[in-house]
Amino acid sequence: MVRLLREVKYLLVTLYFYIIATLYIVFYGGFVLSKAWFMKKMFKKEKEAREYVLREIQTFGRRSFSWLFSEVVIHGKENLPDEKPFLVVANHQSLMDIPLILGFVETGAFIAKKELSKVPGINWYVKYLGGLFVDRGNPRQTAVVLKEAIRRLKSGICFIVFPEGTRSKDGNVQEFKPGSLILAKKAGVKILPISIWGTYELIPKGRILFRPGKVHLLIHPLVDPKDFKTEREMEEKIREIIVKGVEKLRGSYPLT
């Protein structure tokens, strides 16, 4: 009986989240982008318009967790860089990792799978942030996308990367995909490693229902790609930093 009531609770939380998130993204999101367009075109306030949209995206990221009745605890705030651009590199535990980064670290761009380009609301914001869509099964198109992402990084747009390539099945940090940090090396920007712990508990890969909980995010100091002789050496070091951060959070804040 207790288990049944718990599952009903999770179902209600899940329905509440999806309904309010969809309304917020599609309807309120449409209003935000329309307002920004008017600010830019009618009043020539391009900078103010972009800052307005970025604040709203950050707000969405933070509200996503309040809609799940979940708390986010940030560690290492002092390591947030003042200068841009940089490449955010984090482990990937669940689909809540993206709003977590957008809301509490950086409203940066990311390379999304092409299927998301057809999702109203999400595709608008991916494009607005300077993100790109990639067909993972098309090596030629992937190379073009990476080249464009490097160009945008150099122009001042921060990017967010999950080098494991997919969500972890058990919450542990997987091996990084070879070449996953090539953006930083080619663009000559520093890397901001992020360790995420707890989003796996909210909704792990393969589960449908959300489960409220507490999420911890550890921001590490910037790492300069120039300090490494090879790209592989850099990848191993960044992964080591993130893994140690996850282990530290896991040991200090075990999931219940």
Side-chain angles (χ1 to χ4, degrees), residues 102-119:
L102 293 177
F104 296 92
V105 179
E106 173 62 32
T107 48
F110 53 92
I111 299 174
K113 56 185 180 180
K114 69 173 185 178
E115 289 79 5
L116 291 178
S117 65
K118 300 177 182 178
V119 181

Side-chain angles (χ1 to χ4, degrees), residues 10 37 42 51 72 95 137 160 206 227:
Y10 296 157
W37 184 87
M42 304 300 290
E51 290 176 348
V72 176
L95 58 81
I160 301 165
D227 294 337

